[in-house]
Amino acid sequence: MCPAPVARRRAAAVRDGVRDGVRKGGSKARAGLSYLADRIIDNAPRIPVRDLDTLRRQFPGLTAEQLADKLVTGAANATSTVGAGIGAAAMLPVPPAMPTELATEITGVAAIELKMIAELHEVYGRRPPGNLKQRSTAYLNSWSSERGIDVTRPSTVNAALGGQMKRELRQQIMKRMVRDLPNLMPFMVGAAVGAVMNRRDTKRLAERIRKDLRKTRVPWESLPELPPLEKPADPLRMGEIPRELGR
């Protein structure tokens, strides 16, 4: 039998199981997702992001669209590698029973895609205002909603991470994780299929973000001089995501 239909059926079954588990499992299921959402929120300010000047030096002679293509290809390859590299593991249908391998993959893919989103905003001249933590919060909103940030509309930046804001952001991230969970389980469908799923979904996310950013893009020659981006005090090593889960 063709592996693709089998993979889709398994993914659909797990998706329905997770959603049912979250709905019926009460506080334990929500706690599992909330834990991962908090790890993603905590990691966001630690993700190293290259500013536009750095990107242009690293990729000389490229237009904005060509440079954006490079970033998307790099991110898609990275999430594909994460998808193919996670070993086989038993998977129970509710988040509290989520194996470390799956939790590692979710946080790893999130970090890669957040870095891509931040650098795409640099390329299109749409760096959100604020400090490192405020920009990271804006990128988390962009990632969880799968929309580009319109810096001319304060409501789309929403960068002040107070208690209520963090709760809302956590809920938003949890909803996205439930929606995307079947596409983050290569050990359920086979490493090759998992790699293809991750690459496809990262590219789809990037296209949605770029579609929004193109509407308000500022050409490089029209950009005001921006300060270099702050460096995280404790930068996240993209290859050491498992340690962020306490391993």
Side-chain angles (χ1 to χ4, degrees):
M1 181 179 293
C2 177
V6 173
R8 284 195 293 270
R9 286 198 296 274
R10 287 179 179 174
V14 173
R15 178 195 61 213
D16 294 341
V18 169
R19 287 176 176 169
D20 189 57
V22 172
R23 186 171 61 252
K24 296 180 179 179
S27 60
K28 288 185 178 180
R30 286 190 293 273
L33 287 175
S34 180
Y35 173 79
L36 285 185
D38 282 344
R39 297 289 69 73
I40 291 170
I41 291 171
D42 291 342
N43 282 341
R46 300 179 55 207
I47 296 171
V49 175
R50 294 169 291 184
D51 57 29
L52 178 59
D53 286 343
T54 300
L55 289 167
R56 294 184 71 182
R57 286 196 302 270
Q58 291 183 357
F59 301 99
L62 299 185
T63 66
E65 289 296 323
Q66 290 170 336
L67 181 48
D69 286 343
K70 282 277 189 184
L71 296 178
V72 173
T73 298
N77 288 342
T79 58
S80 173
T81 299
V82 170
I86 300 297
M91 174 60 190
L92 297 179
V94 292
M98 185 182 297
T100 302
E101 290 85 355
L102 177 57
T104 297
E105 185 172 359
I106 291 173
T107 53
V109 168
I112 292 165
E113 292 183 344
L114 281 166
K115 178 179 175 68
M116 175 190 73
I117 287 172
E119 292 179 351
L120 285 175
H121 280 79
E122 288 288 312
V123 168
Y124 286 100
R126 307 311 288 167
R127 180 191 297 183
N131 57 30
L132 175 61
K133 187 172 182 179
Q134 291 170 325
R135 287 195 306 274
S136 298
T137 303
Y139 294 137
L140 282 164
N141 272 301
S142 176
W143 178 78
S144 58
S145 64
E146 302 185 356
R147 298 298 305 270
I149 300 166
D150 184 352
V151 297
T152 66
R153 297 175 56 198
S155 62
T156 68
V157 177
N158 197 15
L161 192 58
Q164 179 64 27
M165 169 62 188
K166 186 170 184 177
R167 285 191 293 272
E168 292 175 358
L169 181 57
R170 184 189 298 119
Q171 291 295 323
Q172 195 170 329
I173 292 173
M174 287 165 62
K175 288 178 182 177
R176 174 167 175 185
M177 285 193 292
V178 170
R179 184 176 70 247
D180 289 353
L181 196 55
N183 296 332
L184 292 170
M185 292 185 295
F187 48 83
M188 291 290 293
V189 298
V193 177
V196 170
M197 283 181 166
N198 280 3
R199 180 184 291 112
R200 178 202 64 196
D201 291 343
T202 296
K203 287 185 174 181
R204 184 167 56 192
L205 169 66
E207 190 51 46
R208 290 174 179 169
I209 301 294
R210 291 174 72 177
K211 182 178 179 181
D212 285 340
L213 293 178
R214 288 186 185 108
K215 296 175 184 177
T216 57
R217 176 197 166 199
V218 178
W220 291 343
E221 60 272 14
S222 302
L223 274 176
E225 186 172 352
L226 295 173
L229 291 174
E230 308 100 295
K231 302 294 183 184
D234 181 23
L236 184 68
R237 296 183 181 182
M238 306 301 275
E240 296 185 358
I241 296 294
R243 295 186 181 180
E244 299 310 306
L245 297 174
R247 291 182 62 182

